């Protein structure tokens, strides 16, 4: 029986090459803002009305859901759990390393496995898609940031949404005190490889430079 070819990367080299680098405060707030704004987007079209107040003598207060405290509570609920859907893209050197989807590094390794190559990086294959140490720590950092800036988030939600985005107010002005250099970083799209030009047909002449 033919043995699978083996592709081995020592775990020491893998850790040295890609390392474990936990999120900075800027990266934490950037991810929190991304998830907060995504959850807000999910509920922005709701048209229901929330009734509050428990007095039998007074009429209950009616509030549109989209401006209610309930929406804020539901947006905040479980927001840090969503971070466990992220992966660490170690081939990127800036804040975009924290993103959903499989990294190029592991996508390449998975491709080798699919071709029947035995890949050994010191990590069992079944753990490749589990949250990394950086992502697990990022969830904890998210929880700490939410707790620390709860009042700032409430202030933005009830009073300042029309003036600032979540990123501008909570991250730039409050959490990072103007040091949010990573907030504008975006994934760099690699240029597509140019296809080879078609061969010239018989009798076709080249350009002046080609002659």
């Amino acid at each position: 029986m033919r043995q699978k070819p083996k592709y081995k990367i020592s775990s020491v080299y893998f850790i040295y090459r890609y390392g474990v680098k936990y999120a900075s405060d800027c990266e934490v707030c950037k991810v929190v803002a991304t998830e907060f704004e995504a959850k807000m987007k999910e509920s922005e079209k709701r048209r229901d009305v929330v009734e509050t107040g428990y007095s039998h003598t007074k009429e209950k207060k009616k509030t549109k859901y989209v401006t209610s405290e309930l929406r804020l509570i539901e947006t905040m609920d479980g927001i840090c759990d969503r971070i466990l859907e992220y992966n660490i893209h170690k081939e990127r050197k800036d804040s975009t390393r924290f993103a959903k989807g499989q990294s190029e590094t592991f996508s390449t390794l998975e491709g080798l496995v699919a071709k029947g190559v035995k890949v050994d990086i010191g990590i069992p294959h079944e753990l490749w898609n589990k949250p990394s140490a950086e992502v697990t720590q990022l969830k904890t950092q998210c929880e700490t940031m939410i707790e620390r800036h709860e009042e700032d988030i409430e202030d933005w939600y009830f009073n300042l949404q029309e003036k600032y985005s979540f990123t501008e107010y909570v991250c730039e002005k409050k959490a990072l005190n103007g040091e949010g250099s990573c907030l504008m970083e975006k994934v760099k799209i690699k240029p597509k490889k140019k296809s080879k030009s078609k061969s010239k047909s018989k009798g076709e002449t080249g350009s002046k430079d080609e002659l």
Side-chain angles (χ1 to χ4, degrees):
M1 186 175 179
R2 189 178 177 184
Q3 194 174 11
K4 286 184 179 180
K6 192 170 183 179
Y7 185 84
K8 184 176 177 66
I9 305 175
S10 77
S11 55
V12 173
Y13 170 80
F14 195 79
I15 291 171
Y16 171 76
R17 174 70 175 80
Y18 296 106
V20 174
K21 182 183 175 184
Y22 296 126
S24 65
D25 289 344
C26 185
E27 289 173 319
V28 174
C29 207
K30 184 178 182 178
V31 171
V32 170
T34 297
E35 291 307 313
F36 190 94
E37 289 167 356
K39 286 197 77 174
M40 289 281 285
K41 191 82 175 173
E42 290 169 9
S43 61
E44 68 181 1
K45 294 183 179 180
R46 285 183 57 173
R47 295 289 178 262
D48 44 323
V49 173
V50 177
E51 293 185 342
T52 57
Y54 303 94
S55 172
H56 294 291
T57 58
K58 293 182 180 179
E59 187 177 344
K60 290 183 179 181
K61 182 181 177 182
K62 295 182 178 180
T63 308
K64 290 181 180 179
Y65 173 81
V66 291
T67 60
S68 69
E69 184 179 5
L70 177 61
R71 185 188 183 199
L72 175 60
I73 292 170
E74 290 181 343
T75 299
M76 300 277 280
D77 184 40
I79 195 168
C80 295
D81 292 333
R82 291 164 67 111
I83 288 173
L84 295 178
E85 298 172 15
Y86 278 65
N87 284 308
I88 186 77
H89 295 242
K90 292 180 183 290
E91 67 277 358
R92 301 174 190 167
K93 303 304 179 186
D94 58 16
S95 63
T96 62
R97 66 198 181 101
F98 289 101
K100 294 178 180 179
Q102 193 173 51
S103 69
E104 285 183 29
T105 303
F106 278 99
S107 180
T108 300
L109 295 176
E110 288 282 12
L112 290 171
V113 172
K115 291 177 182 178
V117 178
K118 187 176 181 181
V119 179
D120 180 6
I121 60 171
I123 304 170
H125 182 256
E126 61 269 20
L127 297 181
W128 285 9
N129 292 316
K130 296 290 183 181
S132 65
E134 294 97 329
V135 170
T136 303
Q137 178 66 15
L138 180 60
K139 177 180 179 291
T140 302
Q141 290 171 286
C142 168
E143 292 165 348
T144 301
M145 201 219 88
I146 292 287
E147 184 178 353
R148 186 178 296 156
H149 294 282
E150 185 174 359
E151 290 184 5
D152 295 325
I153 293 170
E154 290 176 356
D155 189 26
W156 171 82
Y157 180 81
F158 290 114
N159 306 309
L160 298 167
Q161 282 192 62
E162 299 300 320
K163 190 173 182 181
Y164 303 106
S165 68
F166 183 97
T167 299
E168 289 170 336
Y169 185 73
V170 178
C171 292
E172 288 185 33
K173 291 182 175 294
K174 296 298 179 179
L176 304 174
N177 295 315
E179 298 297 322
S181 58
C182 82
L183 298 174
M184 300 303 292
E185 292 171 350
K186 295 182 180 180
V187 176
K188 295 174 183 176
I189 300 173
K190 292 183 178 180
K192 293 181 179 179
K193 292 182 180 179
K194 293 181 179 179
S195 57
K196 293 181 180 179
S197 58
K198 294 180 180 179
S199 57
K200 295 181 177 67
S201 59
K202 189 176 181 180
E204 186 179 354
T205 58
S207 67
K208 188 185 294 183
D209 293 336
E210 291 176 312
L211 296 175

